[in-house]
């Protein structure tokens, strides 16, 4: 079951949005507004979440407020990694949430928080426990990043690589499971928090880990999952087959689906971080995915028949 649609990912991070093209986020604001309207039309009750900001910056939220974006979302989200990349201490989490609550009345979700095992697995395990202590009961949704380590042969989705130095390699050690699927020290510990702290796990196109991931999450008792459907991937051959397989495999979880990544040929610049040439194309993608995977109760997502206009709507895969 899809519980929310998240519009983009880390828009104030140059790894996910090209701030040289859009330095004041005016294009981003237009895109989110268009997507928010399209999602609301496609599914009047589905919560819309503004892409999680990283760093946690109240001025960015104020910018979105001034531009009218917050009128078209139902929650805002933040991401934090104080033991790996952020320049603040883990104990400051309550203050960071308060900084955002001070500039918006919308609920504040934590859709990515994690600790790498780059230095030691014991550090990750301690960070998990401390994060749970600080956040559970203080944010309506929390997603631990992530279930799996990033495979060493893949690239991390970051444009900071040259500037990060050895910190770049922390991206590859954020999982509760190693690349080969074997558990780390924090895995069993996570099971204690799984009903209150969800997971964030990104799946690459035709990701070989999908079915094993679903089995691990069921074993751990995970309720809430955040993942993504890539606009760029939608132009690949057999894209819908992959999207269907992904969403079917995740049908047992309350899923927040993130829509992001600009296709190279549909961006102002040929990169997934680029603002789109036409924001309505991204909005249409969001609406199409919502219509495909969030349909009327008891009706197949693939072949929805006509129904009365006042029929109750729910989001089921």
């Amino acid at each position: 079951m899809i519980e929310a649609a998240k519009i983009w990912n880390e828009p104030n991070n140059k790894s996910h949005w090209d701030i040289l093209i859009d330095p004041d986020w005016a294009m981003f604001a237009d895109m989110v507004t268009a997507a928010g309207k399209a999602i609301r039309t496609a599914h009047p009750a589905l919560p819309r979440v503004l892409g999680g900001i990283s760093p946690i910056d109240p001025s960015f939220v104020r910018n979105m407020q001034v531009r009218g974006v917050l009128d078209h979302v139902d929650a805002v989200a933040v991401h934090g990694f104080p033991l790996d990349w952020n320049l603040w201490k883990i104990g400051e989490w309550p203050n960071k949430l308060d900084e955002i609550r001070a500039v918006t009345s919308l609920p504040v979700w934590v859709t990515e928080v994690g600790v790498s095992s780059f230095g030691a697995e014991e550090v990750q395990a301690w960070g998990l426990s401390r994060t749970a202590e600080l956040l559970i009961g203080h944010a309506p949704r929390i997603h631990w990043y992530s279930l799996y380590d990033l495979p060493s042969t893949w690239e991390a989705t970051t444009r900071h690589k040259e500037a990060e130095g050895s910190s770049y390699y922390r991206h590859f050690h954020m999982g509760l499971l190693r690349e080969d699927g074997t558990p780390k020290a924090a895995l069993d510990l996570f099971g204690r928090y799984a009903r209150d702290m969800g997971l964030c796990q990104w799946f690459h196109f035709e990701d070989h880990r999908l079915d094993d991931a679903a089995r691990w999450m069921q074993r751990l008792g995970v309720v809430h999952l955040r993942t993504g459907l890539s606009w760029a991937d939608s132009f690949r051959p057999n894209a819908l087959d992959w999207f269907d397989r992904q969403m079917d495999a995740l049908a047992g979880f309350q899923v927040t689906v993130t829509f992001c990544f600009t296709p190279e040929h549909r961006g102002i610049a040929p990169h997934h971080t680029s603002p789109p040439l036409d924001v309505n194309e991204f909005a249409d993608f969001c609406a199409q995915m919502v219509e495909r995977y969030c349909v009327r109760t008891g009706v197949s997502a693939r072949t929805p028949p006509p129904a009365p206009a006042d029929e109750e709507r729910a989001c089921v895969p």
Side-chain angles (χ1 to χ4, degrees):
M1 177 177 178
I2 298 175
E3 70 166 352
K6 195 159 183 273
I7 306 172
W8 216 257
N9 182 64
E10 298 189 358
N12 61 334
N13 181 335
K14 72 176 185 179
S15 293
H16 296 275
W17 190 257
D18 194 328
I19 58 175
L20 296 179
I21 296 176
D22 186 29
D24 58 0
W25 288 278
M27 295 179 187
F28 176 77
D30 289 344
M31 184 186 73
V32 175
T33 297
K37 291 178 178 179
I39 292 168
R40 177 58 75 240
T41 299
H43 194 299
L46 185 68
R48 304 157 299 172
V49 185
L50 180 65
I53 56 174
S54 181
I56 298 173
D57 180 7
S59 66
F60 181 84
V61 178
R62 283 195 294 266
N63 184 5
M64 295 298 101
Q65 178 74 67
V66 168
R67 296 184 184 279
V69 172
L70 301 192
D71 295 331
H72 302 285
V73 296
D74 306 293
V76 299
V78 299
H79 296 174
F81 300 89
L83 295 185
D84 289 286
W85 297 298
N86 297 140
L87 301 179
W88 45 275
K89 296 179 180 179
I90 191 170
E92 295 178 58
W93 259 118
N95 293 336
K96 291 298 177 181
L97 294 180
D98 286 343
E99 287 176 7
I100 303 303
R101 292 179 182 128
V103 295
T104 179
S105 60
L106 293 175
V108 181
W109 292 20
V110 181
T111 51
E112 278 188 35
V113 56
V115 177
S116 79
S117 61
F118 180 77
E121 288 190 16
E122 292 81 4
V123 172
Q124 184 184 52
W126 178 86
L128 170 59
S129 293
R130 184 66 174 133
T131 299
E133 177 185 347
L134 291 164
L135 292 181
I136 290 175
H138 300 283
R141 191 67 72 244
I142 309 160
H143 291 274
W144 181 262
Y145 178 81
S146 59
L147 178 63
Y148 277 102
D149 278 352
L150 188 67
S152 57
T153 56
W154 296 3
E155 287 190 3
T157 306
T158 175
R159 302 187 82 171
H160 296 276
K161 183 174 180 179
E162 295 79 5
E164 285 189 32
S166 62
S167 292
Y168 172 75
Y169 298 98
R170 294 178 179 270
H171 289 282
F172 293 85
H173 300 274
M174 303 300 294
L176 301 170
L177 299 169
R178 302 181 188 91
E179 177 183 350
D180 64 3
T182 55
K184 297 183 189 177
L187 180 77
D188 287 340
L189 182 62
F190 180 82
R192 302 179 191 176
Y193 309 117
R195 296 202 64 81
D196 299 306
M197 181 187 290
L199 278 171
C200 173
Q201 178 62 55
W202 295 92
F203 294 103
H204 287 219
F205 188 77
E206 296 184 341
D207 199 315
H208 64 282
R209 306 168 299 176
L210 175 63
D211 293 329
D212 284 341
R215 285 190 286 268
W216 270 112
M217 290 187 290
Q218 289 169 351
R219 188 181 309 177
L220 289 167
V222 170
V223 177
H224 300 283
L225 171 68
R226 176 181 168 234
T227 192
L229 291 176
S230 166
W231 182 29
D233 282 348
S234 71
F235 287 90
R236 294 176 182 261
N238 304 315
L240 284 179
D241 289 343
W242 162 246
F243 289 166
D244 287 350
R245 187 161 75 85
Q246 178 179 338
M247 299 312 295
D248 286 345
L250 304 177
F253 307 100
Q254 302 286 321
V255 180
T256 293
V257 178
T258 304
F259 301 125
C260 60
F261 298 145
T262 304
E264 289 189 2
H265 69 292
R266 301 313 305 151
I268 293 173
H271 197 271
H272 70 267
T273 65
S274 174
L277 290 165
D278 182 350
V279 297
N280 292 309
E281 292 182 9
F282 174 70
D284 288 345
F285 168 74
C286 296
Q288 290 162 10
M289 294 298 98
V290 167
E291 288 169 352
R292 190 171 185 85
Y293 302 114
C294 297
V295 298
R296 292 177 175 87
T297 304
V299 175
S300 167
R302 318 299 184 237
T303 55
D310 61 351
E311 182 176 348
E312 180 184 359
R313 293 178 65 89
C315 197
V316 296

